[in-house]
Amino acid sequence: EIFAMFFNSVTNGGKTTLAEKLKNMLPNCDIISQDDFFKPESEVETDERGFKLYDVLDALYMDEMVTSIRNWMKSPASSRVVTEESENTCDNLKDVYILIVEGFLLYNYEPLNELWNRRYFLTLPYEECKRRRSTRVYQPADTPGYFDGHVWPMYLKYKNELEENASMQVDYLDGTKSQEELLSYVYSDIIQELNKLRE
């Protein structure tokens, strides 16, 4: 049985850390990261201000990402070494394979919409997001004004599109909460969903 959850967040929202921690708590769990599907810098468009447009779907090999997810779903057991179940995992989940897909542009790409069981979106207020972004080193490095000129406006545009789509079932999470609090909430939610699946 396959269970796929998608984690989306604003830049530096904490999705990768959360995904890694969940992977250690859940049986037979794997992660696919959208960051692994960026096109090389030479293929990413530049706007009139000189900003590289990384925060758009065109900057990513999305077809390859969908193919990777589908391949994993076809044969999850062969894609990794099956982990020993964590002590607190129910016995009836041992034959479930769990995939966590994490990224910053997942829910506005139609071919991904049929692949999920649960969708989470980690949000951050502007100041906190900008503060966290400034502590990270990127290749290529952020040019002056890049966050305000490209990253944040694209996040707002994307989030607004999501909120306007009434059919989109997304669980919004407050990224300013502690990792422990977020982890506890998401883990409980997933176990509940998995148990529903088994009924």
Side-chain angles (χ1 to χ4, degrees), residues 66-129:
V66 172
T67 301
S68 294
I69 295 169
R70 288 190 186 282
N71 286 343
W72 186 95
M73 288 176 160
K74 275 182 212 152
S75 130
S78 68
S79 64
R80 64 186 312 277
V81 178
V82 175
T83 55
E84 287 180 32
E85 282 73 19
S86 54
E87 290 165 28
N88 54 358
T89 302
C90 318
D91 283 344
N92 68 346
L93 300 181
K94 284 180 180 169
D95 58 344
V96 175
Y97 293 92
I98 299 168
L99 179 64
I100 300 172
V101 179
E102 60 99 358
F104 68 106
L105 273 179
L106 296 174
Y107 304 150
N108 297 36
Y109 188 66
E110 202 60 46
L112 288 175
N113 286 345
E114 64 207 52
L115 302 176
W116 57 276
N117 294 88
R118 293 292 280 147
R119 284 194 276 214
Y120 303 95
F121 194 119
L122 282 150
T123 63
L124 280 181
Y126 167 83
E127 290 296 345
E128 175 61 12
C129 185

Side-chain angles (χ1 to χ4, degrees), residues 7-24:
F7 274 106
N8 202 107
S9 92
V10 62
T11 178
N12 298 281
K15 62 191 171 301
T16 308
T17 309
L18 196 56
E20 290 290 349
K21 287 185 175 175
L22 277 168
K23 181 183 174 180
N24 294 331

Side-chain angles (χ1 to χ4, degrees), residues 76-196:
S78 68
S79 64
R80 64 186 312 277
V81 178
V82 175
T83 55
E84 287 180 32
E85 282 73 19
S86 54
E87 290 165 28
N88 54 358
T89 302
C90 318
D91 283 344
N92 68 346
L93 300 181
K94 284 180 180 169
D95 58 344
V96 175
Y97 293 92
I98 299 168
L99 179 64
I100 300 172
V101 179
E102 60 99 358
F104 68 106
L105 273 179
L106 296 174
Y107 304 150
N108 297 36
Y109 188 66
E110 202 60 46
L112 288 175
N113 286 345
E114 64 207 52
L115 302 176
W116 57 276
N117 294 88
R118 293 292 280 147
R119 284 194 276 214
Y120 303 95
F121 194 119
L122 282 150
T123 63
L124 280 181
Y126 167 83
E127 290 296 345
E128 175 61 12
C129 185
K130 190 170 185 176
R131 185 192 68 75
R132 289 189 194 180
R133 176 100 182 184
S134 69
T135 65
R136 292 274 290 275
V137 178
Y138 288 90
Q139 286 300 332
D142 281 358
T143 51
Y146 188 68
F147 180 84
D148 288 314
H150 175 61
V151 177
W152 188 254
M154 291 311 295
Y155 162 67
L156 292 180
K157 175 179 180 286
Y158 175 55
K159 189 164 171 278
N160 288 340
E161 284 172 12
L162 266 187
E163 288 166 347
E164 284 166 13
N165 185 345
S167 67
M168 190 71 75
Q169 293 169 286
V170 179
D171 197 344
Y172 290 93
L173 307 175
D174 178 356
T176 62
K177 289 186 172 173
S178 71
Q179 279 288 331
E180 289 68 30
E181 207 175 336
L182 289 166
L183 189 63
S184 170
Y185 171 79
V186 175
Y187 179 78
S188 302
D189 190 51
I190 290 161
I191 294 298
Q192 204 175 329
E193 286 297 312
L194 285 166
N195 287 329
K196 272 189 219 162

